[in-house]
Amino acid sequence: MDAQHPATSVSPPRRVRRENEETHAVTNQPPVLDYDAFGSDSALQEALTRWGPERGSGSAYSRLSEIGTVAGSPQARALAFDAHRHPPRLVTHDRYGHRVDEVEFHPSWHELLGRAVGWGLHATPWTSREPSAHLTRSAGFYLWSQAEAGNGCPVSMTYAAVPALHVDPALAAEWVPRLASTTYDPGLTTAAGKAGCLAGMAMTEKQGGSDVRANTTVAEPLGSAGEYLLTGHKWFCSAPMNDVFLVLAQAPGGLTCFVVPRVLPDGSRNTFRLVRLKDKLGNRSNASAEVEFASTWARRLGEEGRGVATIIPMVASTRLDCVLGSAALTRRAVVEAVWHARHRRAFGKALVDQPAMANVLADIAVEQEAATLLALRLATAVDRAPADPAAQAFLRIALPAAKYLVCKRTPAVVVEALECLGGNGYVEESGMPLLFRESPLNSIWEGSGSVQALDVLRALQREPAALEAWLREVASAQSADPRLARAVEDVLTSLADLDQAEYRARRLAERLAQVLQGALLVEYAPAEVADAFCASRLSGDAGVTFGTLPRGVDADAILHRAVPDF
C-alpha cells in the first residue's frame, strides 16, 4: 500500500455474525445415554436371584453383565442405526447371469448377529449343562433386544428349531450341534464345512397365512426314505440367508414338516428362489423374503400328516421370544423416557418432577416391570417343563395369554415414551421412531392377537390342567391383596359361562394374563409397584391411557426402581 492508500482494519459491527461463530449455547438437553442395561434392571436382577443359578456359578452372570454393558452403550446404538439405515439388499443373479439368490447385509448387521451368537443367545440352552440355561438365555435375549431387535429374528428361529428337530434323532444329531455353536459363520456353503449354522422357518403362504392347513406347496417323495422334492411358495421367510429351514408342505399323507438346507451336501445350491424382499414397517435390518421352491430337495421331519404337531414346540419357543422381545422394547423405551425427563427442565422443574409427567413415567414403568416379570417366569417354566407336568400345563395357558397381552400393550407403551421426549422423540436421531416401528411386530409374528386368544380358549376347554396351573400360580398371592382376590373371582365367574366363548376370547386372554401379572407383582415386586398395578389394572381405578394412575401411588419410588440414577 502506498501513502495515499494506507491499510485499514475495520471490525464488523457486533450485530453481524462471524462465519464460524455459534448463534447460541446448547443447554437443557440430556447427555448421551450410556448405561449398564443389566446392572440397572432391578426386576431382572431379582428374577435371576429368585429363579436362576447361584451368583458366581459358571459364566452366566459375567456373560449377562457383558451383554448389558454393550447393549446400553452408544456403540450399540450406532450399530442399530446403521443396520436400519442400510437395509438388506437382494441379489438374485451374479455378474454372469447365474442365479445365486443371496441377500447382502451391512457390516453392522453381522456385528449385531455375531455378538448374539457368540453369547449363545440362539440354540445353546438345549445343549448347555449350566443351571437355568433357558432363563439365563432369555435374560440375555431380553438385554440384547434392547440394543437392536432385528437380529433377534434369526436368533429366535434357531432357538426354536431345536425342539422340533428332536422329533427325528438322526436329523437332530446332524443339525443341533451346528445350531448350538457359538461361532458366527455367515455365507452359503455346505453345513458340514461351517463352524456354526443358523436356522429359519417358512410356513405361511399367500392364500392361508396363519391357516397353514390351507398350504398348497407339494412334497413329492423320492426313492430314498425320507427324501422329497418340494414345489410351491412361501409368502414370508425371514432371514433367508440362514443355513437350514423348517418348511410345511402337503405330502401324500397330508401336511408335513420338512428340513430344507440352502446348500446341498455336494456343495451345490438347493433351489431356494428369493422372489423379493418385503418392504416392512419395521424390523428393517432383518431380511424377510418371498420364496419359491421348484424341485427343492428336503428331508421329512416327523410323520406325514403330522406337520402341525411337529412344529408346535417350535411355535411355543418363538412365542416366548415374542414376549421377551416386547418386554425388551418397553424396557428400552422407559429408560429413554426417564433419562430424558431427568435431564430436561420445563416450567421451572425437571420434567420428572412435574406431577403429570411423573404419573406417565410411573405408569409405563409399572407396565414394563409386569411384562418383564411375566416373561422371565415363563422362561423359568421352560427350564422346568421337561421333568414337571405342572410347568408344561402352566406354559400351555400362560404363554399364549402373555403373548397376547404383553405384545398388544407394547406399541402403546412405546408411543407414550416417545411423547415424553416431545418433538425430539419424533425425530429419527432420538431412536424412538425405530422402537415404535418395531413395536407392533411381535403381536403379529407367530400368530396374531386373535390366534393367541383362541389358543388360550382351546387350552381352557380341552386341558383342565392348564387352568389348574394358572390357579396355583395366583393362589399364593391372592390373599395378600383384596383387589387381586376379586380379580381372580371375576375370572372364574367369566369362565363358568363360556357362552359365545370365541367372541369373548380376547377379553378372557387379556384378563388371565393381567391377573397373572398382578399375582407375580404382589408376590415378588416392591409394594409400591404391586399397589400401582392392582389399583389401575385390576380394580379399574385408572383411565384408558397411560398417566392416569390414581392418587396415593408412590411414583417417585417406582421411577427410582425402574431407572436408578446412573
Side-chain angles (χ1 to χ4, degrees), residues 24-213:
H24 61 281
V26 178
T27 61
N28 200 25
Q29 289 286 347
V32 173
L33 178 57
D34 186 359
Y35 71 107
D36 177 1
F38 178 58
S40 62
D41 194 329
S42 299
L44 174 60
Q45 294 279 334
E46 292 165 9
L48 288 167
T49 299
R50 182 185 313 118
W51 297 317
E54 293 183 5
R55 294 274 173 176
S57 63
S59 58
Y61 284 98
S62 60
R63 185 169 63 248
L64 291 173
S65 179
E66 179 185 350
I67 297 171
T69 300
V70 178
S73 69
Q75 292 75 23
R77 176 188 284 262
L79 289 172
F81 271 78
D82 283 343
H84 285 259
R85 286 178 178 139
H86 306 283
R89 187 176 76 89
L90 175 61
V91 180
T92 57
H93 297 77
D94 68 11
R95 60 180 290 195
Y96 304 106
H98 302 122
R99 186 141 198 144
V100 293
D101 294 298
E102 295 184 359
V103 178
E104 292 180 349
F105 292 90
H106 190 266
S108 58
W109 167 264
H110 294 295
E111 177 72 14
L112 290 162
L113 184 53
R115 284 182 175 269
V117 172
W119 286 319
L121 304 184
H122 54 321
T124 54
W126 304 107
T127 59
S128 174
R129 295 184 178 180
E130 288 185 356
S132 307
H134 291 279
L135 175 60
T136 54
R137 176 263 171 192
S138 293
F141 184 86
Y142 161 82
L143 288 168
W144 192 232
S145 294
Q146 294 175 44
E148 198 280 319
N151 76 98
C153 179
V155 168
S156 180
M157 291 190 297
T158 303
Y159 172 68
V162 172
L165 285 168
H166 278 299
V167 170
D168 186 317
L171 284 170
E174 178 180 341
W175 282 103
V176 170
R178 298 167 180 167
L179 300 178
S181 168
T182 54
T183 299
Y184 177 55
D185 191 356
L188 296 180
T189 187
T190 57
K194 300 192 75 171
C197 293
L198 295 173
M201 58 187 72
M203 304 294 173
T204 60
E205 298 180 4
K206 296 183 181 75
Q207 71 286 347
S210 295
D211 184 6
V212 293
R213 295 186 189 278

Side-chain angles (χ1 to χ4, degrees), residues 377-391:
R377 176 65 186 91
L378 293 170
T380 302
V382 173
D383 274 315
R384 298 173 181 173
D388 185 356

Side-chain angles (χ1 to χ4, degrees), residues 303-507:
E303 300 175 10
E304 282 194 6
R306 297 279 296 167
V308 172
T310 301
I311 67 170
I312 286 297
M314 179 184 66
V315 170
S317 296
T318 50
R319 285 179 178 178
L320 171 63
D321 282 357
C322 287
V323 181
L324 289 162
S326 290
L329 288 172
T330 61
R331 176 64 187 167
R332 183 65 188 235
V334 167
V335 170
E336 294 279 359
V338 175
W339 177 257
H340 178 87
R342 282 190 180 145
H343 294 89
R344 178 84 165 177
R345 295 181 63 83
F347 309 109
K349 294 181 181 179
L351 278 177
V352 74
D353 294 326
Q354 297 284 2
M357 177 63 78
N359 195 319
V360 172
L361 293 170
D363 208 355
I364 61 175
V366 167
E367 188 73 25
Q368 175 264 310
E369 179 158 349
T372 297
L373 186 54
L374 179 52
L376 297 173
R377 176 65 186 91
L378 293 170
T380 302
V382 173
D383 274 315
R384 298 173 181 173
D388 185 356
Q392 297 169 22
F394 173 72
L395 286 168
R396 180 65 189 89
I397 191 170
L399 187 51
K403 183 183 181 301
Y404 174 80
L405 180 65
V406 172
C407 299
K408 281 289 181 192
R409 297 284 280 175
T410 297
V413 173
V414 173
V415 76
E416 200 68 64
L418 181 155
E419 189 176 320
C420 290
L421 276 67
N424 292 329
Y426 205 68
V427 176
E428 286 291 338
E429 289 175 324
S430 72
M432 301 306 286
L434 192 156
L435 294 180
F436 181 62
R437 287 192 297 271
E438 194 73 29
S439 64
L441 175 60
N442 286 322
S443 187
I444 299 168
W445 194 33
E446 291 308 326
S448 57
S450 292
V451 172
Q452 303 306 311
L454 292 171
D455 199 22
V456 170
L457 191 60
R458 278 191 295 273
L460 289 169
Q461 292 173 328
R462 301 177 186 179
E463 302 177 43
L467 180 57
E468 293 170 6
W470 182 88
L471 286 169
R472 280 194 301 272
E473 192 72 21
V474 302
S476 58
Q478 187 175 349
S479 61
D481 191 293
R483 297 163 298 189
L484 175 61
R486 287 193 295 271
V488 172
E489 290 302 318
D490 288 344
V491 168
L492 294 177
T493 300
S494 298
L495 295 178
D497 176 15
L498 289 180
D499 183 51
Q500 295 186 310
E502 289 193 12
Y503 185 79
R504 298 160 50 209
R506 282 184 171 226
R507 184 173 179 84

Side-chain angles (χ1 to χ4, degrees), residues 208-223:
S210 295
D211 184 6
V212 293
R213 295 186 189 278
N215 284 7
T216 59
T217 296
V218 175
E220 177 186 354
L222 293 174

